[in-house]
Amino acid sequence: MTSHKAFKQRVRARMDKTGESYTAARAHLIGRTGTAPRSDRASSEPAVGPGRTAADRSPAVQPPPGGEHTVSADAPPTNGAPVGSAGPTGASAPSAADRRTTGTMRGRVTDDSVREHTGRDYAGWFALLDGWNGTARTHTELAAWLGREQGVPAWWAQTVTVAYEQERGMRVAGQKKDGFAVSVSKTVHAPVERLFAAFVEEGERGRWLPDHDLSVRTSTEPRRLTADFDRSTRISANFTAKDGGRSTVAFEHTKLADAETAAETKAFWRHRLGQLKVVLEGHGDRP
């Protein structure tokens, strides 16, 4: 993503969060950074209409592993995992209860879980990786070595690798190979079919997410979908029916430009999903 696209995403995210005009939000961000991207400095406020391009809109995810459970921003990738050994008998990815919501991998997957499924805790693996000169290795090399040479199951090799990279300053929370990511969720008092329709049907989506393009790539109604968001980022959502006529949507938004964009995207979705709840629970229909 180019710098001017990232800057415009930050402007739009601030507009959604504060209610400011484009000009006011832009001026605030320029005041913080001292300058705007060159292409943005040369342009005026984009029109909100059919001619408006996706790059002028606001701040998007690869499918989270684990079926109906979402994984937080630094969840180990499901593609390209080292084959390696199958590891200890019965080893598997952690349950949803083992996954935490703090920013780092160590904050979300416990020492006890890592020890149970790999035979060592984080400190043990970090020491071993340091002895292998791990800070000079790439993510792929680290995960592959854990899988092939140490017999760590693929999911857990990715978990240990991400935690190691974060601990040694090689990766910050929320960072992935293709950018940054955030995870969000919302529970509403509405059937899961209606919640799903609020994402995939343009008319319904316009009531809580106007002026943004969401192009569905794959979907299994009413359980999950992946979609391009404003043509530059990606979301992957799971929809779950709950008791009492409630339902939950939980999704990850990936390919974000940087940590600041990720933080502002998180705020953007909190506001928009709050409006989704208002609309679906019958308290209003204005964004």
Side-chain angles (χ1 to χ4, degrees):
M1 181 183 297
T2 62
S3 61
H4 74 278
K5 287 183 180 179
F7 180 78
K8 286 180 179 180
Q9 285 186 349
R10 293 197 292 271
V11 173
R12 291 290 170 188
R14 181 174 176 82
M15 289 171 63
D16 279 299
K17 180 168 63 174
T18 66
E20 295 173 334
S21 68
Y22 182 93
T23 302
R26 178 176 176 275
H28 176 88
L29 293 175
I30 292 174
R32 288 194 332 201
T33 62
T35 184
R38 180 176 301 172
S39 59
D40 190 75
R41 293 199 297 269
S43 65
S44 59
E45 179 176 356
V48 182
R52 181 176 166 193
T53 65
D56 292 327
R57 303 178 189 134
S58 208
V61 188
Q62 290 178 329
E68 298 302 319
H69 302 293
T70 51
V71 181
S72 299
D74 292 306
T78 56
N79 296 325
V83 178
S85 165
T89 302
S92 62
S95 67
D98 287 329
R99 295 170 182 159
R100 307 298 180 85
T101 57
T102 52
T104 64
M105 183 60 71
R106 293 189 75 173
R108 292 197 309 278
V109 181
T110 66
D111 250 339
D112 288 344
S113 291
V114 172
R115 185 185 300 107
E116 177 185 353
H117 291 91
T118 70
R120 299 175 189 262
D121 60 11
Y122 284 115
W125 285 116
F126 293 173
L128 197 64
L129 288 168
D130 283 340
W132 188 59
N133 196 23
T135 55
R137 314 285 181 170
T138 66
H139 175 91
T140 300
E141 289 172 337
L142 290 167
W145 185 76
L146 288 169
R148 288 196 303 263
E149 304 299 326
Q150 303 300 320
V152 179
W155 198 98
W156 291 97
Q158 295 286 338
T159 298
V160 171
T161 297
V162 170
Y164 179 76
E165 290 173 320
Q166 291 175 345
E167 190 81 4
R168 297 295 184 260
M170 301 161 65
R171 172 196 296 250
V172 300
Q175 185 177 9
K176 293 190 171 186
K177 290 191 293 185
D178 59 353
F180 285 72
V182 296
S183 297
V184 293
S185 64
K186 177 64 69 174
T187 297
V188 299
H189 195 88
V192 69
E193 292 81 6
R194 189 172 178 216
L195 179 58
F196 185 85
F199 277 77
V200 299
E201 295 180 9
E202 187 174 356
E204 289 295 306
R205 189 170 63 246
R207 300 171 66 198
W208 65 277
L209 189 66
D211 303 322
H212 295 285
D213 179 61
L214 192 150
S215 302
V216 175
R217 298 170 64 91
T218 64
S219 67
T220 303
E221 185 178 357
R223 298 179 59 192
R224 61 178 61 90
L225 66 82
T226 61
D228 292 328
F229 186 80
D230 284 350
R231 303 181 187 178
S232 58
T233 51
R234 182 77 52 80
I235 70 168
S236 183
N238 286 323
F239 301 81
T240 307
K242 303 178 76 71
D243 57 8
R246 300 176 302 146
S247 58
T248 295
V249 58
F251 64 88
E252 191 183 36
H253 188 152
T254 59
K255 299 189 176 182
L256 303 171
D258 50 40
E260 183 180 8
T261 301
E264 291 176 347
T265 299
K266 186 94 169 181
F268 166 83
W269 281 118
R270 284 174 178 163
H271 176 67
R272 290 292 96 196
L273 291 178
Q275 182 60 32
L276 170 65
K277 182 178 177 71
V278 169
V279 168
L280 291 185
E281 294 182 356
H283 303 305
D285 59 1
R286 293 184 62 82

